[in-house]
Amino acid sequence: MIKINVDCLSFIFNELQTNKTYLHSCLLVNKKWCHLIVPILWESHPWNINNKKSKEKLFNIILSCLSFTSRQLLFDNNIKLPSTILSKTPSFNYVSYCKFLKSKIIKEIIEMVSGKVFVTGKYGKYEYLEQELYKLYISQCKNIKGFSWQTSQPLLSFPGASICFSQLYSLSINEIDKVDTDSLYKMSRICKDLNILIIHGYSQEKIPGLISLIDAQRKLKSVSFEFRIKQGPTCKELSEALARKGNTINKLNLRSVKIIPPSFLTSLTNLKTISIYNDYDSDVSTREEFQNYLAISEFPELQILCINGLSCFKESATLVEKTRGNISHVNIYTSDSVAENTGMLIKAIANNCPNIEQLSTYLIPEDFDHVRSLLLNCKNIIYLGLNSLEYFTDMDENYDVGDELLNILTKFSPKSLTKMVIGAGWKYSVDAFERYFESCRERKLYYFGISYNIDNINYITDEHEIIIKKYIDEKVIIEFVY
């Protein structure tokens, strides 16, 4: 039998890492294969295990890697480890192969040992187990790639922290108020090559440390702030820190527009993805300021635009017109039952986004002509969600205004359009419904949905649902959501 050299084997096994079944079957071929495959399997941890017994076996292996000193400390504090953990030192230093450290996994191991479910993360005497598990990972893992941080343990003071976190690529701080303040400053001195930074929660006293961490990064590309608070001072300094990274940041996710002043938006000249979620109870001046900065910003490389809770159809249209035509996804959700300039956005997309694949927005019947242009110009669109705004009209209340939209979809939909959502706030005739579904026979609707509008107006009747069921039975509609 021809022997394959180690480099070739390593390449093959790494290519197979997306299919753990194949790798597991290769483990038993011989000792050399086993030594090559084990590090690959443990690099990202097989954490998607749903089987409780399998997960417990995995956790027991991790606990088996604890040092004698750690075990003694736990014993002295009346923490009894499972009798099923390995009595001998494991054949491999499994933990050292891990490239991702998640606080959630530490929590699950503690819950297995204690037999309790912890919600707040305050583990009582089991904080000693939390401490020793983190010490284990930090001392053994060299240059982890991703870290999910949710503990008040002084991790950056543990032995090996400067090596463990020095090449960190992705950092998610799940509850920043729980993170030791000094650790943020220490992390900024150790970790300088973050590409992804995700912040959940808000703490005013942690902002200086967070700014220090942001300033230390040389190639920060993706930032996400999940500030779910109703009250709090605006943080001009944080906005300025983001502006200083304007040349590198290409992805922005912002949960609350209240805390970070939007002036930094004009500095993000290389932005490819922007996702903004505005709390519906924010004041008018805050919304207007954000909309004004969106209007004067330019993101020529933009590919994904998602805005929730801001009625900024005109501003979004202006952004689209300033791009280089590479937009693939646009999702706009508004909190206003009556919005202006909805047609401007659809028209801008039709004229400037030939490669768009997904669009979800609001519109009124006057905008239906723009939908025709959209379908004619955008031949790659896969998903289209057209949600109805409240519509005031002097027309006969029996007029089926939605038929115009369905007729346009019937005549002009490209073959690529296999996922469709329409608003329940327009009236549709049953005949128009049936004609539309008949036109979908060749391409099939893998997804068809009906969405309520902001005021929960619904004109979908039992007759419409009977037609929908018919086409589901005939496999024209694969999935229906109402």
Side-chain angles (χ1 to χ4, degrees):
M1 178 179 176
I2 299 175
K3 290 186 177 181
I4 304 175
N5 67 49
V6 173
D7 290 338
C8 287
L9 283 172
S10 295
F11 177 80
I12 293 170
F13 295 148
N14 275 292
E15 289 296 307
L16 289 174
Q17 64 179 306
T18 54
N19 193 318
K20 298 293 191 293
T21 303
Y22 287 146
L23 284 178
H24 280 109
S25 64
C26 294
L27 275 172
L28 303 178
V29 172
N30 58 46
K31 189 175 181 179
K32 179 187 290 184
W33 283 36
C34 182
H35 278 268
L36 290 172
I37 292 171
V38 167
I40 295 173
L41 288 172
W42 277 79
E43 183 173 302
S44 58
H45 269 331
W47 292 132
N48 294 326
I49 297 175
N50 295 320
N51 184 280
K52 183 179 179 181
K53 288 186 177 180
S54 297
K55 185 172 282 191
E56 287 181 354
K57 287 180 181 179
L58 190 64
F59 290 168
N60 283 334
I61 291 174
I62 295 171
L63 291 169
S64 299
C65 295
L66 288 170
S67 67
F68 173 78
T69 304
S70 293
R71 296 190 194 199
Q72 187 62 49
L73 175 65
L74 298 176
F75 178 80
D76 292 342
N77 286 278
N78 197 29
I79 297 175
K80 186 178 180 181
L81 296 176
S83 58
T84 50
I85 70 171
L86 302 176
S87 57
K88 296 181 180 180
T89 303
S91 303
F92 295 89
N93 186 4
Y94 295 101
V95 171
S96 68
Y97 302 133
C98 298
K99 294 297 182 183
F100 299 88
L101 176 54
K102 298 182 179 181
S103 293
K104 177 186 175 183
I105 304 305
I106 302 292
K107 178 178 180 287
E108 288 185 1
I109 295 175
I110 295 171
E111 290 179 341
M112 183 193 75
V113 173
S114 66
K116 302 176 182 178
V117 176
F118 297 96
V119 178
T120 62
K122 295 180 179 179
Y123 302 121
K125 69 176 183 179
Y126 289 97
E127 287 184 6
Y128 289 106
L129 177 55
E130 181 193 28
Q131 170 187 287
E132 296 308 304
L133 284 169
Y134 275 116
K135 282 186 175 180
L136 169 66
Y137 274 90
I138 290 172
S139 64
Q140 297 301 314
C141 296
K142 311 301 179 186
N143 303 326
I144 65 171
K145 296 178 181 178
F147 177 38
S148 173
W149 196 354
Q150 189 177 358
T151 179
S152 58
Q153 295 279 354
L155 303 184
L156 279 297
S157 298
F158 291 171
S162 59
I163 296 175
C164 179
F165 297 114
S166 62
Q167 301 299 317
L168 203 58
Y169 178 90
S170 173
L171 175 61
S172 175
I173 304 179
N174 292 345
E175 293 183 56
I176 196 168
D177 59 316
K178 291 183 179 179
V179 173
D180 176 59
T181 302
D182 189 49
S183 291
L184 286 171
Y185 288 104
K186 288 182 178 179
M187 184 67 87
S188 67
R189 293 194 290 269
I190 293 172
C191 167
K192 298 182 182 296
D193 292 312
L194 277 180
N195 273 224
I196 302 170
L197 178 62
I198 303 170
I199 307 296
H200 291 269
Y202 179 79
S203 173
Q204 183 65 25
E205 65 179 29
K206 305 295 171 65
I207 292 299
L210 179 58
I211 291 173
S212 176
L213 180 61
I214 292 172
D215 280 335
Q217 305 314 309
R218 293 178 285 220
K219 45 189 176 183
L220 187 61
K221 294 182 178 180
S222 174
V223 291
S224 178
F225 295 96
E226 293 281 342
F227 295 157
R228 299 170 184 264
I229 61 173
K230 293 183 178 180
Q231 299 292 333
T234 57
C235 188
K236 181 181 177 182
E237 293 78 12
L238 187 52
S239 178
E240 292 171 347
L242 292 173
R244 290 193 289 272
K245 299 298 174 184
N247 289 331
T248 61
I249 293 175
N250 60 29
K251 183 176 181 179
L252 171 69
N253 177 47
L254 190 58
R255 173 72 189 187
S256 174
V257 303
K258 298 178 183 179
I259 304 302
I260 307 177
S263 56
F264 72 95
L265 290 172
T266 56
S267 301
L268 306 183
T269 54
N270 292 311
L271 206 62
K272 293 182 178 180
T273 299
I274 180 169
S275 179
I276 298 172
Y277 184 96
N278 174 54
D279 293 323
Y280 291 163
D281 59 350
S282 62
D283 57 81
V284 175
S285 61
T286 298
R287 294 197 298 269
E288 289 180 348
E289 183 184 19
F290 226 94
Q291 289 170 205
N292 290 337
Y293 272 101
L294 282 175
I296 63 174
S297 296
E298 292 187 26
F299 310 133
E301 306 298 332
L302 194 63
Q303 297 175 9
I304 298 175
L305 171 64
C306 300
I307 300 178
N308 193 327
L310 289 175
S311 295
C312 52
F313 295 94
K314 180 179 179 180
E315 294 79 6
S316 297
T318 302
L319 280 178
V320 167
E321 290 167 351
K322 295 176 184 176
T323 65
R324 294 175 179 168
N326 295 320
I327 288 183
S328 61
H329 291 69
V330 175
N331 297 309
I332 307 294
Y333 300 93
T334 180
S335 58
D336 296 332
S337 59
V338 179
E340 296 179 351
N341 304 309
T342 52
M344 285 185 65
L345 175 60
I346 301 174
K347 182 180 179 181
I349 293 171
N351 293 336
N352 297 278
C353 306
N355 299 315
I356 193 165
E357 296 177 358
Q358 177 175 316
L359 170 62
S360 184
T361 186
Y362 289 85
L363 74 166
I364 58 176
E366 284 91 336
D367 302 330
F368 288 167
D369 279 344
H370 298 310
V371 175
R372 180 188 289 107
S373 299
L374 177 79
L375 297 174
L376 288 171
N377 296 342
C378 305
K379 296 298 185 180
N380 297 315
I381 193 163
I382 298 170
Y383 176 97
L384 181 59
L386 301 175
N387 303 298
S388 53
L389 285 171
E390 183 177 2
Y391 181 59
F392 299 99
T393 179
D394 293 329
M395 296 178 182
D396 185 339
E397 64 177 11
N398 295 316
Y399 175 65
D400 296 320
V401 65
D403 282 11
E404 183 182 351
L405 176 62
L406 285 178
N407 290 336
I408 290 170
L409 291 171
T410 300
K411 293 178 182 178
F412 301 106
S413 291
K415 292 181 179 180
S416 61
L417 184 54
T418 56
K419 298 178 181 180
M420 187 71 217
V421 176
I422 59 175
W426 298 312
K427 286 186 176 182
Y428 309 93
S429 70
V430 173
D431 289 342
F433 245 58
E434 191 157 17
R435 285 195 301 272
Y436 171 62
F437 292 135
E438 278 296 323
S439 73
C440 297
R441 279 194 181 277
E442 290 186 9
R443 68 175 185 274
K444 290 187 180 181
L445 280 174
Y446 290 105
Y447 181 96
F448 178 72
I450 297 175
S451 65
Y452 286 104
N453 71 351
I454 294 166
D455 296 307
N456 290 323
I457 296 173
N458 180 19
Y459 290 113
I460 303 300
T461 66
D462 291 342
E463 290 182 271
H464 293 98
E465 293 189 37
I466 289 171
I467 294 296
I468 292 170
K469 186 179 185 306
K470 170 190 171 183
Y471 285 94
I472 290 174
D473 293 341
E474 295 177 5
K475 307 298 183 183
V476 175
I477 300 173
I478 306 303
E479 181 181 359
F480 171 59
V481 177
Y482 183 19

